[in-house]
Amino acid sequence: MADIRHEIPADRAGRSGPDSGGKHKGGGMAHSGLKSFAGLMARQGILVAFVLFLIAFSVFSDRFLSAENIFSVVRSSAIIGVMALGVTVVVIGGNLDLSVGSMLSFSTVLVVDLHDKIGPGPAIVVTVLATLCLGAINGLLVGVARLNSLIVTLGMLSAIQGLTLIYSGGKNVDIVHQDTTWFKIFGRGYIADIPVPIVIFAICAIVLHVVMAYTPFGRRIYATGGNPTAAVFSGIRRSRVVFATYLISALTVAIAAIVLGSRVMGSQNNVGQGYELQVLAGVILGGTSLLGGSGTIWKSVIGVLILGFIQNGLLLLGFEYYVQWLVTWVVIILAVWLDIAAKRGRLLSPIA
Amino acid sequence: MSASHIPQPDTPALRLEGIVKTFPGVRALDDVGFDVRAGEVHALLGENGAGKSTLMKVLAGMYEPDEGSIYIEGEAVTMRSPLEAKARGVVLIHQELSLAEEMSVAENIYLGELPRKSLGRVDWKTLHSNAQAILDRLKCGFDSKRQVGTLSIANQQMVEIARALTVEAKVVVFDEPTASLTDAEKVVLFDIINDLKARGAGIVYISHRMDEIFTLADRISVLRDGGYRGTLIKSETNEDEVIQLMIGRALDLTRRRAAAKTGKVALQVEGLSCGKLFEDVSFELREGEVLGFYGLVGAGRTEIAETLFGLRKPSAGRILIDGTEVEISSPADAIKKGISLVPESRKEQGLVLGMNCRDNITLPQVGDLTKGPFVSDGAEIAIFDRYYEALKIKTPSWRQAVGNLSGGNQQKIVIGKWLAMNPRILIVDEPTRGIDVGSKSEIHDLIRTLAGEGYAVIVISSEMPEVMHVSDRIVAMFHGRIMRSFTTEEVTEDNLVAAISGIETDKVA
């Protein structure tokens, strides 16, 4: 049910494979085989790629598919994953959010710093509220003032980084009594042998999936992203919808910050730097169109996991840490390209 | 219509043989074959969804056919891209313009093939003199250095045509070229087409407008449901025969209706103004009545509709619904007050093209179709089914993205979406723009049926036969003002044209 909106337009999905030009008569088996392969790739290309990666890495490393390693990858993907869920909502609504990285720095510094000053419970409440305020600024500027979301959130990325440094005075923060505080459960705890970050990631994913796929509110987000004018003509209050998507995004950042702060029990001022690109990479790998109006929550989950497993697999194969940045880029380009190619049935656009 | 310009009478400029193109679940083209002679205008007709657009895209190299062959001047060709098609002498004049608005006319005409000097510099002199030569041939009254964005839509279309003429065109395909042209501009376009024809090009002319086809065409080919239904020679046929071939049955567009029984006043507008867009507009609309708004593009009709739907704020005047003065602050507010608007442009304003049929129909009321916090699948499908049947929407399933449907079926989805709101007052802006004859009469019948059921309906249309056929009363607008209002007995083509040209006035609206 959830992916009904992701259906490929019939006039493109059925295009035959890249090399089918020229001979029109007697396409036969090979032809229809290519067709159905293209169709499969168009619908589930990202899953196919995911499985291929898992197989490839597990052939070269026996540790790769061990339960221990899988848990460790999912757990370390959880922070980016939770943020990617919120950003997916913004992107489906037709906008971008590049401010999530520095917003994560701000919220993590805030929750860690306040932990020792006012106690874990109040620290969490204040952090969530403060982060929502930042999201509200994005939401007002993009939703109500109708400014370009790329510019607004790029500016916020820089402004929030400044805000963080002003708050902390440039010093890193940490929690003194790391073993005795209940705050450690979010990053270090287990529920029924499952690491809590994974549980939180799963709960957020399920909640947002249900919101997007089954509620009127979710439907309005898809409509607003798909065609803002038609949404307005349908009586949808577009500015409210966009505003709400930025609040959701900020909320996921606050949750990620709590997990991160609890896991590290301290924070640098720039801890979230570069996260916005990783988050966006996961969303794009999941196949959510940056034009808005399409995509699903669970595909972003897969996208983030693919990134996590690729980075982990490269480490296990003995590559240097920084190689993963290059490979990640290649994977994203391939994913986007395959997706488009499957939709139009050729590798290159016919309209040159 | 002289045949003296035809260079090789035996080899047609274009020949199609057994063209088949399938998409998942649809056989868009099924064994289509006909030929277009050099120096003839060959009209291609068919209802929306008959396969015209697909065939055109095959010709332009945007789709490759699954089966069949294309011959140009007797030579079998495969065309894999629009550039390749153009190199073969097949050019397509799109219905939708694709120009770089910030660039000059000349740059647009030669986009991608600008003449060069040494070191790859653009040869501006040659560029402008070549471009100006083409513009002169087309009798365009503007300069090749003019920025395209500053031209009228009609002149932009001329640029599009000029672009097609940079190669020696053997086959020129026109897709609904007159959709946004005024009558005077049409005359110029027809001259150009006749000129191309005299130079020996084969012209494929796609249009829904019978009068144009019977003015221009030498032969008429008809598609229906993806299949080829035959070719008629213009001088040996008539509109009825063509329509019958197109829709597979006879159609009676000329019948007159009995006067409608109208109820109490549903909507009353008094002295409504919105800046300079429209001024001092007053009228009333009764239950069971269809009120037609007729006028030229820009006369302020759409703006009145948008004001009634809460998209614009009036600067003066009153709106009364059932005798009570109301303020309509937003579309959501208008919907609550029982007003629905089927907007002018279904693709831009009416539909979310990537969304499926069902979700589009239920979009304005999705907040009310809930079971607990969730959208009720059953309630949504029930609504879709009701309008799927009532409006005879052709789609394989509700899951189909609306963007894949033909124009007529898309329009039915928009109408269904607003009927499903059960409005008291239904405003329909250009109900049949770009829609074929068969769907057109279905939509006209539907509007009449709705009025019969007690809806108060406003129809805005730029087509005189439509507005005369469907309305109980007609309001003629000129430059943001109501010039005159007519009953069906009073109205004639002459006095209607006079009123919208600002010649005749009668302030009693």
Side-chain angles (χ1 to χ4, degrees), chain A residues 126-146:
Chain A
V126 170
T127 300
V128 169
L129 290 178
T131 315
L132 285 178
C133 284
L134 296 178
I137 294 173
N138 279 332
L140 284 174
L141 292 176
V142 179
V144 181
R146 303 265 164 94

Side-chain angles (χ1 to χ4, degrees), chain A residues 192-328:
Chain A
D193 286 340
I194 301 170
V196 172
I198 297 180
V199 175
I200 291 176
F201 183 23
I203 291 174
C204 288
I206 290 167
V207 168
L208 281 179
H209 170 73
V210 167
V211 167
M212 292 305 286
Y214 301 114
T215 68
F217 174 63
R219 187 73 58 78
R220 292 190 188 111
I221 296 176
Y222 277 102
T224 304
N227 184 345
T229 312
V232 170
F233 271 82
S234 303
I236 292 172
R237 294 174 201 271
R238 171 181 159 190
S239 35
R240 286 191 202 173
V241 170
V242 171
F243 182 78
T245 62
Y246 279 101
L247 283 190
I248 291 175
S249 173
L251 181 63
T252 59
V253 171
I255 294 170
I258 291 163
V259 173
L260 180 63
S262 159
R263 178 132 192 89
V264 183
M265 287 289 169
S267 179
Q268 296 174 335
N269 291 303
N270 60 353
V271 61
Q273 202 172 30
Y275 272 45
E276 59 278 340
L277 286 183
Q278 296 235 42
V279 164
L280 207 54
V283 174
I284 293 171
L285 266 182
T288 297
S289 162
L290 289 185
L291 299 174
S294 74
T296 59
I297 290 291
W298 75 271
K299 283 193 175 170
S300 286
V301 172
I302 307 256
V304 168
L305 292 181
I306 290 177
L307 271 188
F309 275 106
I310 288 172
Q311 293 172 357
N312 168 262
L314 290 169
L315 286 177
L316 287 183
L317 294 186
F319 286 99
E320 302 285 354
Y321 167 76
Y322 38 79
V323 172
Q324 61 179 247
W325 292 102
L326 208 59
V327 175
T328 303

